[in-house]
């Protein structure tokens, strides 16, 4: 299979570059710049290398540099932003830092004829984010794009197939970004576009069928997209040697537990153990109000239940994990401060004695996981499902958790989701939160003193930042009317209009 290397210099759009390349049908891998040498790149037969952006200036002492040997190994290169400057620097050019040149955001760029800009109009809008720029081109290069401020918005050495762009072709704000990447991959690197989901399924199933022959395999199924797709894929590979354990902690959404059982046991005929552990989790959570403590208790209890179940199964050889590519790439990087300790049900129980871990999705992005799920025949509503936190409704019930509160929230949440879906409102994640506020209301002629439920809907690409969704008033009204009519004990409904930051998506 042909592949492209995305050499990571620390830029914020690195995952996006790899995703765009894959969207165009070419497999892309991300590797940190200091983990692979030009000789290794050559030995791995990459069709091309993309140098990513990064926050540094090339002349700073601690800036990431790379061996100039890369310029002469005969593999096409494309530098983006810092990557573009770094290539210019390595090839003997000069870079200047100048506030007067700095460009940020949408910028008109004029291109001249160059293989990289085939089918790109002479002037188009590109996304810029830089202060440094290439002030003197290296020998053998010519400038192929300009902006009002920047005399070298792109450069090329067509003889050696080395290119650089100051703008970001991977972001959608760059009108012809996809064309630029297409030209690099297909016109310059000579790719054919052989990255297809069907091939991935076939290859993965064959690989694990061989590797796990005669082994007992265990999977913690949460009902989320990643663990569901991983489980069905592994089931294709090893059939009944796979056992799935689904721990129902009693904090799932309405009907979710039954759905999981129906689909995996009913439709796919998989060996599934459903552990109904609601009372066990609720007992542990009694009196606990602190969000991080709730997460910790659920995470630990989950592992305990899972361990007990797997012990009762006897020896297990392999454990299936729904790890996906962003988890692999992001882990190991220096992390920012912990805002919330995200616990994903399916975390690694350290006490179970097993030979190895099977991570069949570790090369895939979320949208690819979804595509695989659909191809495997998992119902669309499950595959396209919005994210749901591992600790479930526990982080959506403010204050102490009780069964009554969980049941109340489940009903309100189901109604809100139903109304949004009926009205076809586009939103990345939407749910209800049971606040710990009670307030006075009037129903019939009587005073009520009920719970306040908050509705939350957000629109986002990556969940790092999010905007509140502009849900039409009549949809909010329908949800509010139904919730107060149909859910006993709720007499007030509010809509959350804070973005992230300063708020977070979940309330806890
Ligand atoms: P926040 O609240 O951090 O949420 O803005 C961002 C995304 O992460 C999900 N989330 C979690 N997922 N375990 C998870 O698996 C957690 O503890 C957790 N907390 C938040 C949240 O639903 C949103 O999609």
């Amino acid at each position: 299979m042909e592949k492209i290397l995305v050499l990571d210099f620390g830029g914020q759009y690195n995952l996006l570059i790899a995703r765009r390349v894959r969207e165009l049908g070419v497999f892309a891998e991300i590797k940190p710049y200091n983990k692979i040498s030009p000789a290794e790149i050559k030995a791995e037969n990459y069709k091309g290398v993309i140098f990513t952006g990064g926050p540094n200036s090339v002349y700073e002492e601690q800036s990431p540099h790379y061996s100039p040997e890369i310029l002469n190994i005969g593999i096409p290169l494309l530098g983006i932003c810092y990557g573009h400057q770094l290539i210019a620097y390595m090839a003997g050019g000069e870079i200047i830092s100048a506030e007067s040149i700095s460009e940020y955001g949408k910028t008109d760029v004029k291109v001249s004829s160059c293989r990289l800009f085939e089918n790109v109009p002479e002037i188009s809008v590109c996304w810029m984010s830089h202060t440094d720029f290439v002030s003197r081109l290296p020998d053998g290069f010519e400038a192929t794009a300009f902006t009002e401020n920047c005399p070298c918005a792109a450069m090329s050495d067509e003889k050696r197939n080395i290119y650089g762009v100051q703008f970001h072709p991977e972001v959608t704000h760059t009108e012809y970004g996809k064309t630029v990447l297409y030209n690099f991959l297909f016109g310059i690197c000579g790719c054919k576009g052989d990255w297809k989901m069907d091939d991935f399924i076939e290859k993965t199933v064959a690989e694990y069928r061989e590797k796990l022959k005669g082994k007992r395999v265990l999977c913690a199924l949460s009902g989320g997209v990643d663990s569901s797709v991983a489980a069905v894929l592994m089931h294709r590979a090893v059939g009944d040697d796979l056992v799935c354990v689904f721990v129902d902690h009693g904090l799932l959404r309405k009907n979710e537990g039954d759905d999981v059982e129906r689909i995996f046991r009913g439709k796919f005929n998989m060996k599934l153990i459903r552990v109904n552990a609601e009372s066990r989790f609720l007992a542990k959570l009694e009196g606990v109000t602190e969000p991080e403590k709730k997460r910790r208790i659920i995470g630990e209890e989950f592992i305990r239940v899972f361990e007990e179940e797997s012990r009762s199964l006897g020896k297990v050889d392999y454990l299936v994990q729904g790890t996906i590519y962003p988890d692999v790439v992001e882990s190991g990087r220096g992390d920012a401060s912990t805002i919330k300790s995200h616990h994903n049900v399916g975390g690694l129980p350290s006490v179970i004695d097993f030979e190895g871990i099977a991570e069949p999705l570790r090369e895939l992005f979320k949208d690819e996981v979804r595509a695989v799920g659909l191809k495997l025949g998992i119902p669309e509503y499950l595959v396209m499902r919005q994210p749901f936190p591992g600790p479930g409704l526990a982080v959506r019930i403010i204050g102490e958790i009780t069964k009554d509160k969980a049941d109340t929230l489940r009903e309100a949440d189901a109604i809100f989701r139903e109304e949004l879906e009926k009205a076809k409102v586009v939103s990345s994640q939407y749910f209800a939160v049971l606040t710990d506020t009670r307030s006075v209301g009037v129903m019939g002629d009587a005073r009520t003193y009920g719970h306040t439920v908050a509705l939350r809907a957000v629109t986002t690409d990556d969940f790092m930042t999010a905007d509140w969704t502009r849900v039409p008033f009549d949809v909010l009204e329908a949800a509010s009317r139904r919730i107060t009519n149909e859910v006993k004990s709720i007499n007030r409904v509010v809509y959350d209009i804070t973005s992230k930051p300063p708020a977070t998506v979940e309330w806890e």
Side-chain angles (χ1 to χ4, degrees), residues 292 295 339-345 386-392 395-396 428-429 431 456 458 460 462-466 500 503-508:
E292 283 301 289
R295 280 193 165 77
I339 310 285
K340 293 178 190 179
S341 56
H342 284 200
H343 156 72
N344 286 309
V345 170
Q386 53 170 308
F388 184 62
V395 292
R396 296 179 181 170
S428 314
Q429 195 176 6
F431 53 88
R456 178 86 163 133
V458 294
T460 172
D462 56 9
F463 294 92
M464 306 286 281
T465 60
K500 171 184 179 176
T504 52
V505 174
E506 304 288 348
W507 275 38
E508 287 197 335

Side-chain angles (χ1 to χ4, degrees), residues 471-489:
V471 176
F473 284 170
D474 53 345
V475 179
L476 287 173
E477 206 233 317
S480 165
R481 191 167 5 90
R482 277 193 60 199
I483 290 171
T484 46
N485 279 335
E486 295 173 33
V487 189
K488 200 166 59 94
S489 87

Side-chain angles (χ1 to χ4, degrees), residues 372-479:
V372 167
L374 290 176
K375 287 216 180 286
L376 290 170
I378 304 176
E380 186 169 340
Y381 79 87
L382 201 159
V383 168
M384 304 315 279
R385 190 174 251 188
Q386 53 170 308
F388 184 62
L393 301 184
V395 292
R396 296 179 181 170
I397 295 171
I398 314 305
E400 190 189 0
I401 297 162
T402 62
K403 174 153 171 55
D404 257 3
K405 284 188 186 173
D407 288 341
T408 301
L409 176 56
R410 249 189 291 273
E411 291 304 318
D413 178 67
I415 292 171
F416 181 48
R417 287 189 291 120
E418 200 178 303
E419 288 302 320
L420 248 66
E421 282 155 23
K422 199 164 76 189
K424 299 198 165 40
V425 175
V426 177
S427 178
S428 314
Q429 195 176 6
Y430 43 98
F431 53 88
V433 176
L434 191 66
T435 73
D436 56 353
T437 294
R438 297 184 75 189
S439 71
V440 175
V442 54
M443 213 170 245
D445 284 329
R447 175 188 193 273
T448 59
Y449 190 56
H451 289 293
T452 300
V453 84
L455 306 180
R456 178 86 163 133
V458 294
T459 304
T460 172
D461 280 335
D462 56 9
F463 294 92
M464 306 286 281
T465 60
D467 196 7
W468 58 278
T469 306
R470 272 43 173 188
V471 176
F473 284 170
D474 53 345
V475 179
L476 287 173
E477 206 233 317

Side-chain angles (χ1 to χ4, degrees), residues 15 21 42 54 67 92 94 105 161-162 179 188 227 282 352 366 379 405-406 423 427 467 485:
L15 279 172
V21 172
K42 186 139 178 81
S67 163
E94 244 172 46
N161 266 334
I162 303 176
T179 311
I188 294 164
S227 73
L282 289 180
I352 302 178
K366 193 80 173 189
K405 284 188 186 173
S427 178
D467 196 7
N485 279 335

